Amino acid sequence: MNSNFRRIAVLGAGVMGAQIAAHLANADVPVLLFDLPAPEGNPNGIVLKALQRLQKMEPAPFVTRERLNYIDAANYDQHLDQLRECDLIIEAIAEKLELKERLYQRIAPFISPDAIFATNTSGLPLAQLSAVLPENLRNRFCGVHFFNPPRYMPLVEFIPGPQTDADVLDRLEPWLVSRLGKGVVRAKDTPNFIANRIGVMWMLSVIHHTERLGLDFDEVDALTGPKIGLPKSATYRLLDVVGLDTIANVIEGMGRNLPDDPWAPHFSVPAWAAALIGRRQLGQKTSGGIYRREGRDTRVLDHATGDFRLAGGKIAQEVDDILKIGDAAARLTALRSSDHRQAKLLWSCLRDIFHYCAVTLAEIADCARDVDYAMRWGYGWKQGPFEMWQAAGWQTVAEMIREDIEAGKTMAATPLPAWVATCNGVHAAEGSWSATAGRLVPRSSLPVYRRQIFPTQLLGESRNHGDTVWENEAVRLWTLPAIDPRILIASLQTKSHAVSKAALAGLSEAVTLAERDYDGLVLWNEPPFAVGANLVEVLALIDEGNFDGLERFVADFQRTAGLLRYSQVPTVAAVQGTALGGGCEFQMQCAHRVVALESRIGLVEAAVGLIPSGGGCKELALRAAFLAGQQQYGEPNPAVYAAFQHVSTGKAAKNALEAQGMGLVSPTDTILFNPNEVLYVAIRKARALSECGYRPPLRPRSVKVAGRGGIATLDHGLVNMRDGGFISPHDYRVAHAIAVALCGGEVETGSLVDEQWLLDVERQQFMTLARTPESRARIEHMLNNGKPLRN
């Protein structure tokens, strides 16, 4: 079945519905966004206001502002007939069964015979929702639960209804994975599905043990965040983000729908939360909940007194020392053995979530992989609960849990299921444990997953790292024979994939080998793509006074970038994560780029008092000249001016589409929503270019540049900012050097120069700045503090 959708309707313009529509528009899909007719004025007023709110939201739901134009407003009174034109309809109205059922009855006659109908419910039974649909629609009905915010959160829970056809699921899943970039987990039709079932149980466990041990909310947040591999929002801050009223509804729903769950006595809203809800102190959406801001201060609820006090909870030193233990088994054992209340909380919460996951696995998921992915992708955990358990020693932890169950220390007395004793972990090279099947089950065999050469790896799984062809300390050259044995892959092995002298040597060798023995070359690194030149090496050369050596390094950088550009075989940059500074310059030089949507790309050298000198300024000057055509330069053309604004401020594009607008990614390049597909597509693109008889571009010999006139125009604004105190004298020096490089140096406006001239100019400007004490101080500050120095 074709897995493309020409037009999609989203029913409900609330927070989730509007953001789902925005992400569909990001993916180049025309969207029809429905809601009730407005009581007065424009009947589409509710949707139009929702679209206005989208433009103000942070983080931004749209990758670029013009994506808004892909969404059309509609209402249920006037536009239901337009549903016939939609081949996918996603319902995202309020989580009330009666409202959904009423809407389903109303829209069902307008859904085309081939369309898929999906609900974004976060936990209502698909069986009940399906029952109100016509018989001929039930086989095309399923749950597609996005997590908030839909653009950024990878997880989509995919839930079949009682009569959903398998081919409907197999058609929709590849589209969710590849077109929308999602991590799809197939869940069973049980209350709250997987992520919220486990995630809310984790929060209830933390709340229970917080009260039992008499700990403070901010103290617990210090414990239950990054220190144990969870997001900075931890527990109580997360409750504020989600909304206390929302969490209360979920908890109450669990109480109603899971009366036989052994943990059911704990499915209740704590008194302090009920009191806050009663006062409409719901969290961030009401400017206060468990935490609130007062001026510059953050205050937190003291649940013992009901008053708010300054937040500042800390981890005790002895507990922090335990959390620094590298071995997971030793760390967990130390937590369990400690008498400190903070350690007791962490052991108790981890023990109880392991216990709960084991008991509910057969009920909620096909296998343990789905549980761990759900918590990674939906809640931002670094490892899923089963991974944490397995890392600490499966049977050792199981015995600890059994001992605590027998001693009455756990939240429920139900025993661990028998299957726990039969294995030494739930993830292995062969697959992940299915409590239903009683065996390890492999990953999905859907063809879309063949595009993920390196999918998100779980603890215990193996990975094929390909065949190494050549390597040095900084670069590994390798192939993937199963994908294409004649496409060479180059990967940096330096810290953060910084470009060092050894890296330049390795990349030079990559082009030599590719031209001699292969049909193409792909540059790929697991995120980040590359952070630029190795500043440690740069600073060492400056401190040694070895400026000749530094200039040789810059010249070698330019030469290596030129090898990528003029290679006799196609070079393809596979970019995911950040590509900054020299990393950005290298990807700019390649014949083609395959870029993950959420990649951060930019020429940011100004932040360390330098300018792009690996061909970045040269490339922007070439592109400006191409866009200008034969026009006469009275002052910089718009492309030069825009490039200057980006480079002089050290701006990095927040996503690949923004990078296209900045001239850092070409309009003809490939942008993918799923970062796990980048390497596969880059290899296929290199193969396609080779098969089409790829020839490298000719070196430009007649490049028209802005010259002195352009420099003077750009300088005019800089001088005003410097004299007005908006930038420092050294900020002016750096920006002036960028202007000189982009305008082709101190030549007459409209002069014709060649590519080497542009490279020489940018290198000379780089070296002038590198000799200043101010730039040296900026480099050192960035290395020591990770942020720019303004001097």
Side-chain angles (χ1 to χ4, degrees):
M1 299 178 70
N2 182 7
S3 59
N4 288 319
F5 297 97
R6 287 182 291 251
R7 196 179 193 198
I8 297 175
V10 176
L11 311 180
V15 173
M16 281 300 293
Q19 288 191 86
I20 291 169
H23 194 54
L24 295 172
N26 290 337
D28 297 331
V29 181
V31 185
L32 195 60
L33 181 58
F34 277 85
D35 212 300
L36 296 167
E40 55 186 32
N42 188 328
N44 293 331
I46 292 175
V47 174
L48 295 175
K49 286 181 180 178
L51 295 177
Q52 289 175 355
R53 287 194 297 270
L54 284 176
Q55 298 176 75
K56 301 174 183 177
M57 290 180 70
E58 288 294 338
F62 292 112
V63 290
T64 56
R65 287 186 175 273
E66 62 269 18
R67 296 283 143 172
L68 176 68
N69 298 324
Y70 284 88
I71 303 176
D72 293 323
N75 67 78
Y76 301 125
D77 281 2
Q78 296 178 302
H79 304 115
L80 284 181
D81 198 56
Q82 294 186 38
L83 288 177
R84 302 183 197 279
E85 304 168 9
C86 300
D87 38 18
L88 174 62
I89 299 162
I90 301 172
E91 171 269 307
I93 67 170
E95 284 291 277
K96 294 185 178 179
L97 187 63
E98 62 276 11
L99 293 179
K100 291 182 187 287
E101 290 179 340
R102 196 179 309 142
L103 177 64
Y104 291 7
Q105 291 170 343
R106 185 175 184 185
I107 65 169
F110 299 92
I111 297 176
S112 75
D114 298 321
I116 295 174
F117 181 38
T119 174
N120 184 57
T121 180
S122 59
L124 293 176
L126 271 290
Q128 284 184 266
L129 293 172
S130 176
V132 302
L133 294 172
E135 187 68 31
N136 66 352
L137 183 53
R138 293 176 189 174
N139 67 322
R140 292 176 281 127
F141 177 68
C142 61
V144 179
H145 178 213
F146 291 83
F147 273 63
N148 191 23
R151 173 183 165 188
Y152 300 97
M153 295 303 291
L155 180 62
V156 166
E157 289 180 314
F158 203 22
I159 311 100
Q163 297 173 244
T164 308
D165 285 346
D167 60 348
V168 167
L169 300 176
D170 290 348
R171 176 189 174 195
L172 189 52
E173 184 170 349
W175 181 82
L176 291 166
V177 170
S178 197
R179 189 67 176 271
L180 296 190
K182 294 303 174 185
V184 172
V185 167
R186 292 203 185 190
K188 297 183 179 181
D189 188 15
T190 55
N192 292 356
F193 310 130
I194 299 174
N196 282 341
R197 179 77 172 269
I198 302 302
V200 173
M201 186 61 221
W202 166 258
M203 288 188 279
L204 287 171
S205 174
V206 174
I207 291 168
H208 171 76
H209 292 297
T210 300
E211 294 181 352
R212 179 178 70 85
L213 294 164
L215 297 174
D216 294 322
F217 294 143
D218 52 341
E219 182 182 12
V220 172
D221 275 353
L223 290 163
T224 59
K227 286 287 185 178
I228 61 169
L230 272 60
K232 289 188 293 185
S233 53
T235 302
Y236 294 101
R237 290 185 186 277
L238 179 60
L239 292 173
D240 271 356
V241 170
V242 175
L244 295 176
D245 55 336
T246 301
I247 289 292
N249 287 336
V250 174
I251 293 171
E252 289 166 356
M254 289 176 70
R256 283 193 309 273
N257 298 318
L258 295 166
D260 298 326
D261 190 302
W263 281 260
H266 300 284
F267 298 161
S268 60
V269 180
W272 56 262
L276 288 174
I277 294 168
R279 297 195 297 269
R280 300 299 296 167
Q281 295 174 334
L282 307 178
Q284 288 187 359
K285 59 187 173 185
T286 59
S287 301
I290 300 167
Y291 292 89
R292 68 186 186 196
R293 295 283 295 179
E294 293 184 8
R296 295 184 178 181
D297 295 331
T298 299
R299 302 184 74 85
V300 64
L301 177 69
D302 186 322
H303 59 87
T305 66
D307 296 326
F308 283 80
R309 58 165 177 79
L310 281 175
K314 295 181 179 179
I315 301 176
Q317 187 59 55
E318 64 181 274
V319 177
D320 196 43
D321 289 342
I322 293 174
L323 294 176
K324 290 177 181 176
I325 298 173
D327 180 74
R331 185 170 61 248
L332 198 62
T333 300
L335 286 173
R336 185 176 187 241
S337 301
S338 174
D339 289 328
H340 198 285
R341 291 184 305 164
Q342 293 183 354
K344 287 180 178 294
L345 176 126
L346 288 177
W347 160 250
S348 298
C349 293
L350 290 169
R351 173 203 64 207
D352 287 343
I353 203 63
F354 297 163
H355 187 190
Y356 192 73
C357 287
V359 170
T360 58
L361 176 59
E363 176 192 352
I364 66 175
D366 288 333
C367 69
R369 181 189 308 111
D370 295 331
V371 173
D372 282 345
Y373 271 162
M375 296 310 295
R376 279 182 174 225
W377 293 337
Y379 276 75
W381 288 23
K382 189 174 180 179
Q383 286 186 316
F386 283 121
E387 288 182 286
M388 292 184 191
W389 180 352
Q390 184 167 329
W394 184 264
Q395 286 302 337
T396 299
V397 174
E399 185 56 32
M400 292 177 183
I401 297 172
R402 290 189 194 99
E403 290 174 1
D404 280 11
I405 293 172
E406 292 173 4
K409 295 179 179 180
T410 55
M411 292 175 69
T414 190
L416 286 172
W419 63 261
V420 170
T422 67
C423 57
N424 287 315
V426 293
H427 303 303
E430 303 92 324
S432 294
W433 181 261
S434 169
T436 304
R439 58 181 174 84
L440 297 171
V441 295
R443 288 174 175 268
S444 170
S445 60
L446 286 175
V448 69
Y449 292 109
R450 296 175 200 159
R451 295 164 61 90
Q452 298 186 18
I453 296 171
F454 298 127
T456 303
Q457 189 173 10
L458 296 170
L459 183 78
E461 291 186 323
S462 61
R463 173 175 279 193
N464 174 17
H465 291 281
D467 296 344
T468 299
V469 174
W470 179 95
E471 68 180 322
N472 67 3
E473 64 190 73
V475 175
R476 174 177 176 246
L477 307 182
W478 53 292
T479 61
L480 283 165
I483 306 298
D484 194 323
R486 292 192 54 77
I487 300 297
L488 186 65
I489 304 165
S491 297
L492 293 171
Q493 302 185 126
T494 52
K495 182 180 179 181
S496 300
H497 303 137
V499 182
S500 60
K501 293 178 184 178
L504 295 176
L507 292 173
S508 177
E509 180 67 18
V511 176
T512 299
L513 281 177
E515 289 182 331
R516 188 185 72 197
D517 299 329
Y518 296 91
D519 297 332
L521 174 65
V522 169
L523 270 62
W524 175 82
N525 300 308
E526 291 194 83
F529 177 75
V531 296
N534 186 325
L535 291 179
V536 173
E537 289 187 359
V538 171
L539 186 61
L541 290 168
I542 291 173
D543 286 347
E544 292 167 8
N546 186 2
F547 291 103
D548 288 342
L550 180 57
E551 185 160 8
R552 285 194 297 272
F553 174 74
V554 176
D556 196 24
F557 208 121
Q558 293 178 333
R559 184 188 66 81
T560 305
L563 290 176
L564 292 171
R565 181 179 247 307
Y566 298 109
S567 167
Q568 294 301 305
V569 296
T571 56
V572 179
V575 181
Q576 56 188 119
T578 53
L580 302 177
C584 177
E585 290 177 293
F586 275 154
Q587 62 90 30
M588 290 174 73
Q589 307 290 333
C590 290
H592 189 83
R593 282 142 295 278
V594 177
V595 188
L597 175 71
E598 301 296 349
S599 299
R600 185 167 171 259
I601 302 171
L603 297 171
V604 297
E605 288 87 347
V608 290
L610 300 171
I611 75 166
S613 58
C617 291
K618 176 265 297 183
E619 279 298 300
L620 291 174
L622 289 176
R623 294 178 189 191
F626 173 78
L627 291 172
Q630 298 301 311
Q631 75 180 51
Q632 295 297 313
Y633 278 98
E635 56 182 51
N637 74 4
V640 170
Y641 183 76
F644 174 76
Q645 291 296 313
H646 301 322
V647 180
S648 64
T649 58
K651 178 182 178 181
K654 296 177 183 177
N655 60 71
L657 288 173
E658 187 178 349
Q660 275 186 334
M662 292 167 60
L664 306 176
V665 171
S666 169
T668 58
D669 287 332
T670 304
I671 295 176
L672 300 177
F673 274 50
N674 196 315
N676 290 332
E677 297 182 348
V678 165
L679 177 56
Y680 174 86
V681 174
I683 292 170
R684 304 302 294 165
K685 183 65 182 182
R687 166 55 55 202
L689 288 170
S690 176
E691 295 292 335
C692 292
Y694 174 78
R695 294 293 302 160
L698 297 173
R699 294 181 183 271
R701 295 182 177 179
S702 300
V703 182
K704 186 177 287 188
V705 295
R708 293 190 188 95
I711 296 169
T713 301
L714 294 173
D715 250 0
H716 179 72
L718 292 174
V719 169
N720 288 339
M721 292 181 71
R722 181 194 62 193
D723 293 348
F726 296 103
I727 62 174
S728 71
H730 196 60
D731 288 332
Y732 166 78
R733 266 189 227 109
V734 174
H736 174 78
I738 292 167
V740 172
L742 290 175
C743 293
E746 296 285 353
V747 295
E748 292 301 319
T749 297
S751 293
L752 298 177
V753 301
D754 63 13
E755 182 183 58
Q756 188 58 50
W757 174 276
L758 294 172
L759 289 170
D760 291 343
V761 170
E762 72 175 21
R763 188 176 68 256
Q764 291 159 7
Q765 294 301 314
F766 177 96
M767 291 305 302
T768 299
L769 291 170
R771 288 183 167 90
T772 65
E774 292 88 353
S775 287
R776 186 216 169 276
R778 290 188 180 192
I779 295 169
E780 184 176 45
H781 190 272
M782 180 64 77
L783 287 171
N784 292 336
N785 301 284
K787 55 185 179 182
L789 170 68
R790 296 298 305 276
N791 61 349

